Amino acid sequence: MIQLILAGWAILAVGLALLWLHQLRTKDATSVDVAWSAGLAVLAIGYAVLVDADPVRRIFIGGLAALWATRLAHFLLFERVL
């Protein structure tokens, strides 16, 4: 389980580090905010699929977390970036 959490964190950290470098050039952090939210949605779905637990609970919790993170990413993208 800890390897799964660390792998998800590492993947998200690399992506966000690249966006942070982009933010340093543009002085605009909104893309980082959108990516953070979208990354949380991806991790929620990934963990729900890969973890060994009750399937109904995994779908419910992973789905709710992904729905919330996707809604936040959508809001940030269309209200702050575009």
Side-chain angles (χ1 to χ4, degrees):
M1 178 70 171
I2 194 72
Q3 292 89 359
L4 184 62
I5 293 171
L6 290 176
W9 179 86
I11 291 167
L12 197 55
V14 169
L16 289 173
L18 293 173
L19 282 172
W20 175 70
L21 292 174
H22 173 71
Q23 179 271 332
L24 288 177
R25 285 186 296 128
T26 63
K27 304 295 187 220
D28 182 17
T30 54
S31 62
V32 179
D33 294 337
V34 173
W36 176 256
S37 300
L40 289 178
V42 170
L43 287 179
I45 293 168
Y47 291 155
V49 169
L50 296 174
V51 75
D52 187 28
D54 177 40
V56 174
R57 185 174 290 173
R58 289 184 323 185
I59 291 169
F60 184 70
I61 293 173
L64 284 178
L67 184 65
W68 168 80
T70 303
R71 185 211 54 84
L72 180 59
H74 181 270
F75 169 78
L76 291 171
L77 179 65
F78 287 102
E79 293 294 323
R80 305 285 164 89
V81 176
L82 302 178

